[in-house]
Amino acid sequence: MQYTNTKLVFWNSLKVTRRHLLFTVGYCLALSTILSSCNQSPNTTQSQQSAASPNSNEKPAETQVVRIVRSKQLTALAVLEKQGTLDKRLATLGFKVQWPEFAAGPQQLEALNANGLDIASTAESPPVFSQAAGAPLVYLATTAPNGKAVSLLVPVNSPIKSVADLKGKKVAFQKASIGHYLLVKALEGAGLKLTDVESIFLAPPDANVAFSQGKVDAWFIWEPFVTRAEQKKVGRVLVDGEKLRDTANFYSTSRQFYQAHPEVIKAFLEELQKAELWTQNHPQEVAQLLAPVTQLDPPTLEIMHKKYEYGLRPITEQVITKQQEVADKWYSLGQIPKKVNVRDGFLTLEDYAKITPSEVLAKQ
């Protein structure tokens, strides 16, 4: 019994000793850390803090993204992307530019409404169809008509000699596009209606295939598809839009993006106008720059350049009135489900003055 008591005392004393030992070691380590911190130079500590966070109360600003439609035509927008000037300008505002591609205007505005695009470039009709679907878009700026850059093609050996010969024929075009609108105008000029032809709704890439394979009798399309078809000797121009087109193209955005980032839109329009003027005055350089984009050789692009008039145009009451006529036309033809008040998509003239380049405003 005595031996047992002695053994318990020994083990209890050993446990206390271990506890004290662990405490002592931990204390020494903590003291060593404190002393080391005290000996650290103030500059080193401040440098580490600065590296971790310039301002402990603020998070570093994150780069935001603005998505602008990529143009694969002979346009100043395509030049703007290739030159990279907008990227540099918007980088100072904390934005990075992305250039997504879309088949045509209607697809752009679908993406705009679904928050998949921030700035679109379309003809007059896509915004009307988009507004009819309830999209809260905003018209930003407009352009010259450039009707010669849009043409009605027929196969090289087609017997069709005039628009009147299209009666009962299959005509391909992108629904709700400039091709759709100009087909209506061309048919009316020939005493026909849209119902007098068989409308084949195809996006440009699909229509290109159908036309090349002889599955349609005509195709209303824009450059560079027109010139490519001519060069490959698969199509010829029946009529172009020079005398047909009474509208222009629009740059547009969503109401949400306009309200959140007016400074980005202002910078975009200013840089775009610079690109418009440069494109107008440098046809040879533009041809070299955009040959890979359009898949056409520079000499051909220099000739095509003459089809275009460059430079932004301001939004005016006349522009709004004409766009309302387009909307009313589509409604009268039963192409949109309800009447559209296009003014819902336009800003006040005072608001346009805040984002439109001064030299563009001077054209009013």
Side-chain angles (χ1 to χ4, degrees):
M1 185 67 176
Q2 183 177 359
Y3 171 78
T4 302
N5 290 338
T6 302
K7 188 175 181 179
L8 288 173
V9 171
F10 170 78
W11 282 109
N12 287 337
S13 63
L14 186 59
K15 290 179 181 178
V16 172
T17 302
R18 286 179 176 175
R19 188 181 298 114
H20 287 178
L21 179 60
L22 291 172
F23 175 80
T24 303
V25 171
Y27 178 81
C28 290
L29 287 173
L31 182 61
S32 175
T33 302
I34 294 172
L35 291 174
S36 175
S37 299
C38 291
N39 290 331
Q40 188 178 30
S41 71
N43 290 338
T44 303
T45 304
Q46 184 177 0
S47 176
Q48 292 175 343
Q49 291 175 344
S50 298
S53 174
N55 188 329
S56 60
N57 295 325
E58 296 180 5
K59 293 182 180 180
E62 294 183 1
T63 300
Q64 301 183 72
V65 174
V66 56
R67 299 154 300 181
I68 303 171
V69 64
R70 169 171 288 157
S71 172
K72 302 184 76 173
Q73 303 175 43
L74 193 63
T75 62
L77 185 60
V79 169
L80 186 63
E81 178 185 359
K82 297 293 287 184
Q83 290 182 330
T85 53
L86 180 64
D87 300 72
K88 295 176 182 177
R89 172 79 179 271
L90 292 185
T92 64
L93 299 178
F95 279 82
K96 176 183 178 181
V97 184
Q98 291 182 354
W99 303 89
E101 293 183 21
F102 296 89
Q107 290 86 340
Q108 290 181 49
L109 296 190
E110 287 176 8
L112 194 74
N113 191 40
N115 195 31
L117 183 67
D118 298 311
I119 297 177
S121 174
T122 72
E124 74 298 307
S125 296
V128 169
F129 279 74
S130 184
Q131 285 186 281
L137 64 78
V138 173
Y139 296 85
L140 296 176
T142 188
T143 68
N146 292 324
K148 291 192 71 174
V150 189
S151 298
L152 178 59
L153 295 176
V154 295
V156 173
N157 298 321
S158 171
I160 297 173
K161 303 299 181 183
S162 67
V163 175
D165 294 335
L166 290 175
K167 187 172 183 178
K169 304 297 183 180
K170 295 179 180 179
V171 184
F173 54 89
Q174 165 71 59
K175 184 177 181 180
S177 72
I178 181 60
H180 195 172
Y181 180 72
L182 292 188
L183 176 60
V184 171
K185 301 279 289 185
L187 291 172
E188 288 180 344
L192 299 175
K193 299 177 181 179
L194 190 58
T195 52
D196 288 324
V197 300
E198 185 178 349
S199 296
I200 307 297
F201 300 144
L202 291 173
D206 298 325
N208 188 30
V209 173
F211 182 76
S212 299
Q213 295 178 349
K215 294 181 179 179
V216 295
D217 300 300
W219 179 26
F220 226 132
I221 191 60
W222 46 85
E223 293 287 7
F225 290 99
V226 175
T227 299
R228 286 182 199 156
E230 289 180 312
Q231 287 188 340
K232 294 177 181 178
K233 300 187 184 306
V234 297
R236 60 180 171 83
V237 174
L238 183 66
V239 62
D240 66 35
E242 182 177 17
K243 295 181 179 180
L244 292 174
R245 192 169 190 191
D246 54 1
T247 58
N249 288 352
F250 287 100
Y251 289 95
S252 59
T253 188
S254 65
R255 179 71 59 173
Q256 179 181 3
F257 189 84
Y258 164 73
Q259 292 174 341
H261 305 293
E263 76 286 356
V264 172
I265 292 171
K266 178 178 173 63
F268 166 71
L269 293 178
E270 288 176 350
E271 295 301 322
L272 178 60
Q273 175 62 9
K274 293 176 186 176
E276 291 275 352
L277 298 179
W278 188 88
T279 303
Q280 178 69 47
N281 297 324
H282 298 83
Q284 293 183 342
E285 293 91 334
V286 170
Q288 292 290 336
L289 187 66
L290 299 186
V293 175
T294 60
Q295 300 177 28
L296 293 171
D297 60 273
T300 298
L301 290 178
E302 286 188 53
I303 296 173
M304 190 190 300
H305 187 276
K306 299 175 183 178
K307 294 183 178 182
Y308 293 87
E309 182 179 353
Y310 294 93
L312 294 178
R313 302 290 189 272
I315 299 294
T316 62
E317 282 296 325
Q318 183 179 2
V319 169
I320 298 173
T321 299
K322 186 61 196 179
Q323 188 67 354
Q324 186 61 57
E325 291 177 8
V326 173
D328 294 343
K329 183 69 172 180
W330 286 126
Y331 180 72
S332 69
L333 293 173
Q335 296 293 308
I336 55 177
K338 64 178 182 180
K339 280 193 173 185
V340 169
N341 180 7
V342 299
R343 195 174 291 273
D344 292 340
F346 286 95
L347 305 173
T348 65
L349 297 183
E350 291 76 14
D351 286 334
Y352 280 120
K354 297 176 183 178
I355 61 172
T356 306
S358 57
E359 63 267 32
V360 176
L361 288 173
K363 297 177 182 179
Q364 292 185 5

mmCIF file of all heavy atoms in Angstrom, residues 62 77 114 127 131 138 157 168 170 180 197 201 219 239 262 284 288 321:
data_model
loop_
_atom_site.group_PDB
_atom_site.id
_atom_site.type_symbol
_atom_site.label_atom_id
_atom_site.label_comp_id
_atom_site.label_asym_id
_atom_site.label_seq_id
_atom_site.Cartn_x
_atom_site.Cartn_y
_atom_site.Cartn_z
ATOM 1 N N GLU A 62 -11.312 47.337 -58.813
ATOM 2 C CA GLU A 62 -11.257 46.254 -59.782
ATOM 3 C C GLU A 62 -11.525 46.794 -61.181
ATOM 4 O O GLU A 62 -12.342 47.687 -61.372
ATOM 5 C CB GLU A 62 -12.297 45.191 -59.439
ATOM 6 C CG GLU A 62 -12.038 44.464 -58.127
ATOM 7 C CD GLU A 62 -13.070 43.377 -57.876
ATOM 8 O OE1 GLU A 62 -13.959 43.199 -58.737
ATOM 9 O OE2 GLU A 62 -12.988 42.729 -56.817
ATOM 10 N N LEU A 77 -15.710 51.786 -86.625
ATOM 11 C CA LEU A 77 -15.737 50.965 -85.412
ATOM 12 C C LEU A 77 -14.684 49.864 -85.506
ATOM 13 O O LEU A 77 -14.009 49.552 -84.518
ATOM 14 C CB LEU A 77 -17.124 50.363 -85.213
ATOM 15 C CG LEU A 77 -17.337 49.566 -83.917
ATOM 16 C CD1 LEU A 77 -17.104 50.443 -82.696
ATOM 17 C CD2 LEU A 77 -18.741 48.964 -83.883
ATOM 18 N N ALA A 114 -30.126 41.116 -72.695
ATOM 19 C CA ALA A 114 -29.809 40.021 -71.768
ATOM 20 C C ALA A 114 -28.516 40.272 -70.996
ATOM 21 O O ALA A 114 -27.981 39.359 -70.379
ATOM 22 C CB ALA A 114 -29.704 38.707 -72.528
ATOM 23 N N PRO A 127 -33.520 48.254 -83.508
ATOM 24 C CA PRO A 127 -33.984 48.899 -82.276
ATOM 25 C C PRO A 127 -35.510 48.938 -82.152
ATOM 26 O O PRO A 127 -36.048 48.825 -81.049
ATOM 27 C CB PRO A 127 -33.404 50.317 -82.369
ATOM 28 C CG PRO A 127 -32.219 50.180 -83.251
ATOM 29 C CD PRO A 127 -32.607 49.141 -84.261
ATOM 30 N N GLN A 131 -37.497 47.421 -79.108
ATOM 31 C CA GLN A 131 -38.417 48.211 -78.284
ATOM 32 C C GLN A 131 -39.800 47.568 -78.246
ATOM 33 O O GLN A 131 -40.467 47.586 -77.208
ATOM 34 C CB GLN A 131 -38.512 49.637 -78.825
ATOM 35 C CG GLN A 131 -37.291 50.496 -78.516
ATOM 36 C CD GLN A 131 -37.482 51.939 -78.950
ATOM 37 O OE1 GLN A 131 -37.361 52.269 -80.123
ATOM 38 N NE2 GLN A 131 -37.818 52.802 -77.996
ATOM 39 N N VAL A 138 -31.264 52.538 -75.256
ATOM 40 C CA VAL A 138 -31.042 53.971 -75.413
ATOM 41 C C VAL A 138 -30.276 54.214 -76.707
ATOM 42 O O VAL A 138 -29.216 53.626 -76.935
ATOM 43 C CB VAL A 138 -30.233 54.552 -74.231
ATOM 44 C CG1 VAL A 138 -29.860 56.008 -74.486
ATOM 45 C CG2 VAL A 138 -31.020 54.430 -72.931
ATOM 46 N N ASN A 157 -26.287 34.182 -113.148
ATOM 47 C CA ASN A 157 -27.031 33.737 -114.355
ATOM 48 C C ASN A 157 -28.546 33.772 -114.164
ATOM 49 O O ASN A 157 -29.286 33.173 -114.949
ATOM 50 C CB ASN A 157 -26.596 32.318 -114.739
ATOM 51 C CG ASN A 157 -25.120 32.246 -115.086
ATOM 52 O OD1 ASN A 157 -24.586 33.156 -115.729
ATOM 53 N ND2 ASN A 157 -24.450 31.184 -114.662
ATOM 54 N N GLY A 168 -43.201 36.069 -106.277
ATOM 55 C CA GLY A 168 -43.268 34.623 -106.135
ATOM 56 C C GLY A 168 -41.924 33.959 -105.882
ATOM 57 O O GLY A 168 -41.856 32.732 -105.754
ATOM 58 N N LYS A 170 -38.090 33.322 -103.867
ATOM 59 C CA LYS A 170 -37.548 33.213 -102.508
ATOM 60 C C LYS A 170 -36.461 34.268 -102.304
ATOM 61 O O LYS A 170 -35.469 34.285 -103.028
ATOM 62 C CB LYS A 170 -36.950 31.830 -102.279
ATOM 63 C CG LYS A 170 -37.955 30.689 -102.314
ATOM 64 C CD LYS A 170 -37.247 29.361 -102.089
ATOM 65 C CE LYS A 170 -38.238 28.202 -102.109
ATOM 66 N NZ LYS A 170 -37.548 26.900 -101.903
ATOM 67 N N HIS A 180 -34.191 43.643 -94.537
ATOM 68 C CA HIS A 180 -35.644 43.484 -94.417
ATOM 69 C C HIS A 180 -36.342 44.799 -94.793
ATOM 70 O O HIS A 180 -37.295 44.817 -95.597
ATOM 71 C CB HIS A 180 -35.970 43.088 -92.974
ATOM 72 C CG HIS A 180 -37.342 42.542 -92.775
ATOM 73 N ND1 HIS A 180 -37.759 41.991 -91.583
ATOM 74 C CD2 HIS A 180 -38.430 42.470 -93.597
ATOM 75 C CE1 HIS A 180 -39.006 41.588 -91.685
ATOM 76 N NE2 HIS A 180 -39.445 41.881 -92.903
ATOM 77 N N VAL A 197 -43.552 38.061 -102.145
ATOM 78 C CA VAL A 197 -42.369 37.213 -102.254
ATOM 79 C C VAL A 197 -42.370 36.229 -101.084
ATOM 80 O O VAL A 197 -43.083 36.421 -100.091
ATOM 81 C CB VAL A 197 -41.063 38.035 -102.237
ATOM 82 C CG1 VAL A 197 -41.038 39.024 -103.399
ATOM 83 C CG2 VAL A 197 -40.875 38.753 -100.916
ATOM 84 N N PHE A 201 -36.085 33.880 -93.791
ATOM 85 C CA PHE A 201 -35.341 34.530 -92.717
ATOM 86 C C PHE A 201 -34.070 33.744 -92.408
ATOM 87 O O PHE A 201 -34.123 32.633 -91.892
ATOM 88 C CB PHE A 201 -36.192 34.630 -91.448
ATOM 89 C CG PHE A 201 -37.459 35.431 -91.617
ATOM 90 C CD1 PHE A 201 -38.628 35.062 -90.956
ATOM 91 C CD2 PHE A 201 -37.485 36.541 -92.425
ATOM 92 C CE1 PHE A 201 -39.801 35.793 -91.114
ATOM 93 C CE2 PHE A 201 -38.655 37.293 -92.589
ATOM 94 C CZ PHE A 201 -39.807 36.919 -91.931
ATOM 95 N N TRP A 219 -31.000 37.810 -102.391
ATOM 96 C CA TRP A 219 -30.492 37.998 -101.034
ATOM 97 C C TRP A 219 -30.214 39.481 -100.820
ATOM 98 O O TRP A 219 -29.434 40.075 -101.557
ATOM 99 C CB TRP A 219 -29.217 37.171 -100.845
ATOM 100 C CG TRP A 219 -28.554 37.263 -99.506
ATOM 101 C CD1 TRP A 219 -29.113 37.560 -98.303
ATOM 102 C CD2 TRP A 219 -27.159 37.016 -99.243
ATOM 103 N NE1 TRP A 219 -28.176 37.522 -97.289
ATOM 104 C CE2 TRP A 219 -26.966 37.176 -97.849
ATOM 105 C CE3 TRP A 219 -26.063 36.668 -100.034
ATOM 106 C CZ2 TRP A 219 -25.711 37.030 -97.249
ATOM 107 C CZ3 TRP A 219 -24.821 36.513 -99.434
ATOM 108 C CH2 TRP A 219 -24.654 36.686 -98.056
ATOM 109 N N VAL A 239 -30.084 45.742 -107.349
ATOM 110 C CA VAL A 239 -30.304 47.125 -106.946
ATOM 111 C C VAL A 239 -29.605 47.348 -105.619
ATOM 112 O O VAL A 239 -29.533 46.429 -104.790
ATOM 113 C CB VAL A 239 -31.815 47.438 -106.825
ATOM 114 C CG1 VAL A 239 -32.468 46.576 -105.748
ATOM 115 C CG2 VAL A 239 -32.054 48.916 -106.532
ATOM 116 N N PRO A 262 -22.128 56.898 -67.829
ATOM 117 C CA PRO A 262 -22.165 57.907 -68.897
ATOM 118 C C PRO A 262 -20.777 58.358 -69.324
ATOM 119 O O PRO A 262 -20.575 58.751 -70.475
ATOM 120 C CB PRO A 262 -22.962 59.054 -68.262
ATOM 121 C CG PRO A 262 -22.801 58.858 -66.784
ATOM 122 C CD PRO A 262 -22.756 57.388 -66.591
ATOM 123 N N GLN A 284 -6.318 54.405 -98.047
ATOM 124 C CA GLN A 284 -5.296 53.390 -98.285
ATOM 125 C C GLN A 284 -4.888 52.694 -96.989
ATOM 126 O O GLN A 284 -4.772 51.461 -96.943
ATOM 127 C CB GLN A 284 -4.069 54.018 -98.946
ATOM 128 C CG GLN A 284 -4.325 54.512 -100.369
ATOM 129 C CD GLN A 284 -3.071 55.076 -101.024
ATOM 130 O OE1 GLN A 284 -2.092 55.413 -100.355
ATOM 131 N NE2 GLN A 284 -3.089 55.180 -102.345
ATOM 132 N N GLN A 288 -5.481 48.653 -95.819
ATOM 133 C CA GLN A 288 -4.442 47.755 -95.302
ATOM 134 C C GLN A 288 -4.813 47.224 -93.920
ATOM 135 O O GLN A 288 -4.641 46.040 -93.621
ATOM 136 C CB GLN A 288 -3.103 48.501 -95.226
ATOM 137 C CG GLN A 288 -2.504 48.876 -96.571
ATOM 138 C CD GLN A 288 -2.004 47.683 -97.354
ATOM 139 O OE1 GLN A 288 -1.692 46.638 -96.789
ATOM 140 N NE2 GLN A 288 -1.925 47.819 -98.672
ATOM 141 N N THR A 321 -38.147 61.652 -85.428
ATOM 142 C CA THR A 321 -39.365 61.595 -86.231
ATOM 143 C C THR A 321 -39.259 60.506 -87.302
ATOM 144 O O THR A 321 -40.210 59.739 -87.531
ATOM 145 C CB THR A 321 -39.642 62.951 -86.896
ATOM 146 O OG1 THR A 321 -39.828 63.945 -85.878
ATOM 147 C CG2 THR A 321 -40.882 62.879 -87.778
#
